[in-house]
């Protein structure tokens, strides 16, 4: 999908259940609706002229910066495999800074190696679309309209975006019946559809299961989620022992606030500017960034979390990103001294515990 700049205006035809016909919508650069305008184009905005000018200056600065980076990226991806092999540190650094918006869909497919599956299975997706029966179709239909409802692509009930989302999820459930469908898959698939075609999104989903070990996040019983909870609890104890003790005292477990973090990779209810950056890094480096972001959120909110009791704690987690700067969060996450070895050791410890319930690290 072609990227949009902040403040771009789209005129869209709405159905009877939507806003009035010919409503003009203002969307951000990712396609999310910023405000709705009346048919005469007058914005319903409470921002002052001074604030608007400040935001516009910031936007222009960001665009100029990204245009400068775009030239480097275009040269780099001309032969990505060769560049990455020759300059791995540079490639890693540039991905961590953020893939340019207009190249994101292409680069995600390159990083995930998803087009290999497509090339090896020509015509398969079209065959799956023709299948008449999908056992979990009713579950998918129930959830489709809940996925990114404020995004221009998915806003219209039974529109092209929701239809594509249904097609991908339905086809995947037939392709991989062992995984089938789980609610969190909708947001991940929706994320892909924002940046690429329906079929490309399907093969990205296949790649996630095969190359990123994500099947366990969606299989019955969510076995991988339970493992991640155990690892995350242990990491809280290592990095923030006071906070770990406070959570213990208040009987707060990571399953109460971090389920969607791990199941959807932060695609659910997080600022999209954070989501896109997290997925740049995730597809390049793997699941460690998910733990890093979770730990960074706790670090940035630690002082406040330590003052709260059970209910206020859980309420804070619902709005934890409201006042966070995406760059601050990403930088804080990447500075954490978390190693792959630590995660592997904690994974082994989890499996040794051989418990049916989610174990917690020893206090």
């Amino acid at each position: 999908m072609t990227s949009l700049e902040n403040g771009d205006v789209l005129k869209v035809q709405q159905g009877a259940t939507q806003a009035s016909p010919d409503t003009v919508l203002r969307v951000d650069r990712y396609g999310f609706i910023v405000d709705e305008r009346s048919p005469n184009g007058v914005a319903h905005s409470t921002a002052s002229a001074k604030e608007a000018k400040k935001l516009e200056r910031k936007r222009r600065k960001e665009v100029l910066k990204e245009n400068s980076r775009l030239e480097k990226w275009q040269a780099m991806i001309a032969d990505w495999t060769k560049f990455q092999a020759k300059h791995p540190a540079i490639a890693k650094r540039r991905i961590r800074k953020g893939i340019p918006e207009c190249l994101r869909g292409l680069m995600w497919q390159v990083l995930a190696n998803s087009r290999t599956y497509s090339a090896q299975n020509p015509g398969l997706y079209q065959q799956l679309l023709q299948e008449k029966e999908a056992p979990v179709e009713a579950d998918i239909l129930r959830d489709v309209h809940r996925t990114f409802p404020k995004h221009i692509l998915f806003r219209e009930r039974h529109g092209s975006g929701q239809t594509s989302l249904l097609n991908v999820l339905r086809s995947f459930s037939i392709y991989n019946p062992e995984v089938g469908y789980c609610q969190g898959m909708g947001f991940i698939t929706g994320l892909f559809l924002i940046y690429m075609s329906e079929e490309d999104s399907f093969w990205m989903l296949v790649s996630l299961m095969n190359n990123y070990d994500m099947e366990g996040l969606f299989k019955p019983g969510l076995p991988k989620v339970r493992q991640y909870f155990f690892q995350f609890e242990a990491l809280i104890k290592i990095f923030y022992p006071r906070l770990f003790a406070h959570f213990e005292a208040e009987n707060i477990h990571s399953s109460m606030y971090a389920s969607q973090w791990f199941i959807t990779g932060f695609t659910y209810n997080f600022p999209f500017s954070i989501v896109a950056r997290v997925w740049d890094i995730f597809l390049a480096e793997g699941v460690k960034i998910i733990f890093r972001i979770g730990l960074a959120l706790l670090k940035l909110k630690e002082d406040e979390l330590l003052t709260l009791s059970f209910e206020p704690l859980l309420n804070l987690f619902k709005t934890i990103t409201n006042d966070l700067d995406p760059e601050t969060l990403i930088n804080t996450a990447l500075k954490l001294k978390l190693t792959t070895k630590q995660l592997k050791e904690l994974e082994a410890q989890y499996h040794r515990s051989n418990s049916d319930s989610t174990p917690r690290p020893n206090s």
Side-chain angles (χ1 to χ4, degrees), residues 226 350 353 355-359:
R226 292 166 57 193
Y350 171 79
S353 68
S355 173
D356 290 334
S357 60
T358 303

Side-chain angles (χ1 to χ4, degrees), residues 42-271:
V42 177
H44 303 301
S45 174
T46 58
S48 68
K50 185 176 181 181
E51 289 172 334
K53 287 181 179 179
K54 183 178 179 180
L55 288 172
E56 179 63 15
R57 285 195 299 270
K58 181 179 179 181
R59 182 188 73 84
R60 290 183 181 278
K61 184 178 180 181
E62 290 174 348
V63 170
L64 288 172
K65 182 179 179 180
E66 182 155 304
N67 287 343
S68 174
R69 294 177 55 244
L70 183 58
E71 296 177 7
K72 298 177 182 178
W73 269 91
Q74 287 172 328
M76 184 168 64
I77 65 173
D79 190 343
W80 169 255
T81 302
K82 182 178 179 181
F83 184 92
Q84 187 182 39
K86 190 175 181 180
H87 307 287
I90 295 176
K92 183 177 183 178
R93 184 172 68 248
R94 288 182 181 174
I95 289 172
R96 286 184 167 191
K97 287 183 177 179
I99 299 171
E101 184 70 5
C102 64
L103 297 177
R104 190 163 263 138
L106 171 62
M107 275 305 303
W108 282 3
Q109 293 176 73
V110 171
L111 293 170
N113 200 28
S114 60
R115 289 188 172 179
T116 298
Y117 295 102
S118 177
Q120 292 172 347
N121 299 275
L124 177 59
Y125 181 68
Q126 297 304 318
Q127 292 175 28
L128 292 169
L129 287 176
Q130 300 305 315
E131 292 287 338
K132 293 183 178 180
E133 292 187 8
V136 294
E137 185 167 356
D139 295 331
I140 299 171
L141 282 168
R142 184 190 63 224
D143 294 333
V144 159
H145 71 282
R146 302 172 183 171
T147 303
F148 296 131
K150 293 185 179 180
H151 193 279
I152 195 71
L153 180 63
F154 303 107
R155 184 175 190 267
E156 186 179 352
R157 189 85 176 212
H158 308 304
S160 61
Q162 290 192 13
T163 299
S164 291
L165 183 60
L166 171 62
N167 286 343
V168 174
L169 293 171
R170 183 183 186 278
S171 297
F172 183 83
S173 72
I174 298 169
Y175 173 82
N176 189 336
E178 186 179 1
V179 173
Y181 168 73
C182 179
Q183 192 174 40
M185 293 167 65
F187 282 91
I188 294 173
T189 304
L191 171 68
F192 295 151
L193 286 167
I194 290 172
Y195 288 105
M196 62 193 76
S197 72
E198 186 178 305
E199 184 169 355
D200 287 339
S201 298
F202 170 80
W203 291 114
M204 281 293 293
L205 202 55
V206 171
S207 179
L208 287 187
M209 304 304 163
N210 295 341
N211 297 337
Y212 294 84
D213 196 25
M214 290 186 70
E215 283 194 348
L217 294 177
F218 306 114
K219 285 181 178 179
L222 310 178
K224 201 73 174 180
V225 181
R226 292 166 57 193
Q227 174 194 312
Y228 286 168
F229 286 156
F230 175 83
Q231 290 170 292
F232 193 62
E233 295 269 332
L235 292 172
I236 297 172
K237 183 179 180 182
I238 293 168
F239 284 90
Y240 316 119
R242 288 179 62 214
L243 193 58
F244 179 83
H246 182 60
F247 283 174
E248 287 262 289
E250 294 296 331
N251 201 27
I252 295 288
H253 187 271
S254 55
S255 62
M256 298 176 180
Y257 61 86
S259 296
Q260 295 295 349
W261 296 1
F262 291 112
I263 293 173
T264 73
F266 293 103
T267 58
Y268 175 75
N269 206 30
F270 265 68

